[in-house]
Amino acid sequence: MLLKSCEIKSIAVILWGLLLAGCCSQNKESCTRTLSEEGFIKIASQVARQYNLVLENYHIRYDQDNRQWEKFLNTLEKYDAKTARDLKKFFRCRCYQAVLFYPKTPRPGGGFWVFMDTKTGKVLKVLAEV
């Protein structure tokens, strides 16, 4: 059976739409970790030191299932929708682990995020809250 030209175009448009919508071949459950919690924290701490953070002045949080990051993104969306959208786009379809450094002395901002690939430990992104 031969497909008509308009049917082929419709199928192409649907497939293109799925790609643009962020259809991923993997989900969070398929993001197996090859490093321990301590391994991720060690890498993140090395990165933080490279950014001249004095680790003794910060609490370090391994962000289990990236829940704290998701909460932060939802809050950011209310104040800076474009930045939140750009960050969501960057992390879409990536398997990553977040580690958060936040000041022991409470102050606005001051958080420092390190995001690593869950399989390799490679640093994907570093963000500092201001």
Side-chain angles (χ1 to χ4, degrees):
M1 170 176 91
L2 293 173
L3 294 175
K4 295 179 183 175
S5 174
C6 63
E7 290 172 333
I8 293 172
K9 287 179 185 175
S10 295
I11 292 170
V13 167
I14 291 169
L15 291 174
W16 183 248
L18 287 172
L19 287 173
L20 287 178
C23 183
C24 298
S25 62
Q26 60 195 14
N27 56 30
K28 287 185 179 183
E29 289 76 35
S30 70
C31 292
T32 55
R33 287 169 169 67
T34 56
L35 294 173
S36 65
E37 182 176 326
E38 293 78 20
F40 284 111
I41 289 173
K42 182 178 179 183
I43 293 168
S45 295
Q46 291 169 346
V47 171
R49 282 188 202 94
Q50 290 172 352
Y51 281 81
N52 297 319
L53 258 70
V54 178
L55 297 185
E56 293 75 28
N57 297 335
Y58 288 83
H59 295 285
I60 302 172
R61 174 182 283 166
Y62 173 85
D63 191 9
Q64 187 68 44
D65 297 323
N66 298 317
R67 282 182 254 166
Q68 190 68 32
W69 171 245
E70 294 292 332
K71 280 169 87 174
F72 177 80
L73 267 181
N74 289 335
T75 301
L76 180 63
E77 206 164 27
K78 296 173 187 173
Y79 299 99
D80 189 349
K82 183 187 179 324
T83 299
R85 192 171 42 252
D86 290 345
L87 287 167
K88 285 180 179 182
K89 183 178 177 182
F90 177 83
F91 287 109
R92 185 180 303 132
C93 298
R94 292 183 193 252
C95 292
Y96 66 93
Q97 175 59 55
V99 174
L100 170 63
F101 297 81
Y102 59 99
K104 289 181 178 177
T105 305
R107 63 176 192 221
F112 185 82
W113 296 88
V114 179
F115 303 92
M116 294 152 284
D117 183 282
T118 57
K119 292 180 178 138
T120 65
K122 178 183 176 203
V123 176
L124 301 172
K125 189 174 255 328
V126 175
L127 294 173
E129 296 175 29
V130 289

